[in-house]
Amino acid sequence: MAAGVAAPIVRRRVRLPKPAVLAAAAAAPVALCVVVPRSRKRDVATCALQMWAYLAAYEMPHDDPEALQRRVHVDYPVNVDRVIGLGTPPTLRLQRLLSAPGKMRGVEKVLVWSHWLWFAVPHATTAYVLIRRRERFGRAALTTYAVFDLGALIYWLVPTAPPWYAHQQGRLEDHAHTRVRRMMIEYGEQFWKHRWGPLYSLLGGNPLAAMPSLHFATSVNAAHLLREVGPVEGAIGWTYALTLGLALVYLGEHYVVDLLAGLALTETVRFASGPLTPAALAGSRLVQQLEFRARG
């Protein structure tokens, strides 16, 4: 477990092979379940270790930015969104109609905050299910973190640029020459001031990982989970997910096609969770046997 925590931290310093880092980090949640008795605290810690492994996998492709830029796909989401937007990608269309260059309107600040709050939403939702419906927690955690992990795998295989990057490269233009504003950066610098640089460097570990949108995918999954807890929780979850979806496109962080891919990923994971339940239970029993032997 200690090796799984330490490997992502020291990997650059000691030049650990990436497969070794991922294997150690992925083993840490299992190791925790073997050495620590089951409790709510252990459940939370297991999810935290899972996300620690995800973060390592998410950031690794950007270890060599130049190599990642040579591999990144820029044009295909622009072309798909141009079809969706009837000739103009929705990000350009929305910013042209609604934004005022050099100004941050109140509604735009709300959209930026919905984006920032996402970093807590999937995990807070899983924790809420643990507190309110513990019998549903296993499936909630499984679907939430399976979406994260499968998304990270796609980021490795098909690195894809977001709208703001495509615009910087001159690949997202229209006849009106609309400039794609990255409003999260604009407002972040205004609101956080000198703290923005360190904060963004901490959270923006791989800027070329837009397809699928895990922001939208995990928020849709959270909305499903909250709906299973209760109608009020579900209404809150779906309101947030739809608001975030609008924010991601309007703010220039994702294409509509990224959101559609994220939606497809979530629905596929949720559909597959039923048929794969016996395999998950078998894996759980194996870990329980190891736990029993470790304490025997």
Side-chain angles (χ1 to χ4, degrees), residues 18-291:
K18 292 179 181 180
V21 175
L22 292 176
V30 179
L32 176 66
C33 292
V34 171
V35 300
V36 176
R38 176 78 186 271
S39 67
R40 284 185 174 178
K41 290 181 179 179
R42 192 191 79 173
D43 289 340
V44 171
T46 301
C47 293
L49 287 176
Q50 147 65 31
M51 279 305 296
W52 184 242
Y54 161 79
L55 286 173
Y58 167 74
E59 293 177 353
M60 278 183 185
H62 201 243
D63 284 353
D64 187 342
E66 293 182 357
L68 182 59
Q69 288 170 7
R70 289 193 294 269
R71 293 182 57 226
V72 71
H73 296 267
V74 180
D75 293 321
Y76 83 84
V78 176
N79 296 332
V80 175
D81 256 38
R82 206 177 293 280
V83 173
I84 293 173
L86 302 178
T88 301
T91 294
L92 288 175
R93 192 179 293 279
L94 287 171
Q95 290 199 6
R96 183 196 305 160
L97 291 174
L98 303 176
S99 72
K103 297 181 181 179
M104 284 295 299
R105 297 174 176 174
V107 67
E108 292 166 346
K109 295 177 182 179
V110 170
L111 293 178
V112 171
W113 272 103
S114 74
H115 186 209
W116 288 343
L117 288 173
W118 169 81
F119 290 94
V121 167
H123 318 296
T125 298
T126 307
Y128 186 76
V129 174
L130 176 62
I131 294 169
R132 291 293 307 276
R133 296 286 190 274
R134 192 174 187 185
E135 73 279 2
R136 297 177 180 268
F137 172 74
R139 184 170 182 268
L142 175 65
T143 55
T144 298
Y145 299 112
V147 170
F148 272 110
D149 290 348
L150 290 172
L153 176 62
I154 298 171
Y155 293 161
W156 275 76
L157 297 176
V158 191
T160 304
W164 60 265
Y165 181 90
H167 179 75
Q168 288 180 355
Q169 303 301 310
R171 314 274 273 278
L172 182 58
E173 305 289 347
D174 67 351
H175 65 277
H177 302 291
T178 306
R179 173 180 172 268
V180 176
R181 298 173 59 193
R182 198 175 184 198
M183 298 183 200
M184 182 186 71
I185 300 296
E186 295 178 23
Y187 184 55
E189 292 172 345
Q190 293 176 21
F191 185 85
W192 299 104
K193 302 188 186 312
H194 66 278
R195 296 184 295 273
W196 173 248
L199 185 62
Y200 180 71
S201 65
L202 176 66
L203 300 176
N206 184 358
L208 302 181
M211 169 65 75
S213 170
L214 288 188
H215 289 84
F216 192 60
T218 55
S219 297
V220 168
N221 188 62
H224 279 300
L225 297 175
L226 289 171
R227 177 63 185 86
E228 292 169 359
V229 173
V232 174
E233 291 91 337
I236 294 172
W238 280 110
T239 298
Y240 173 77
L242 295 175
T243 301
L244 178 63
L246 172 63
L248 293 171
V249 176
Y250 180 67
L251 299 175
E253 299 296 323
H254 280 285
Y255 298 98
V256 172
V257 69
D258 298 340
L259 271 60
L260 294 176
L263 175 64
L265 173 61
T266 288
E267 298 305 321
T268 299
V269 167
R270 291 183 61 81
F271 176 80
S273 65
L276 293 178
T277 295
L281 291 174
S284 178
R285 287 192 294 270
L286 176 59
V287 173
Q288 290 172 4
Q289 291 173 7
L290 293 173
E291 178 185 354

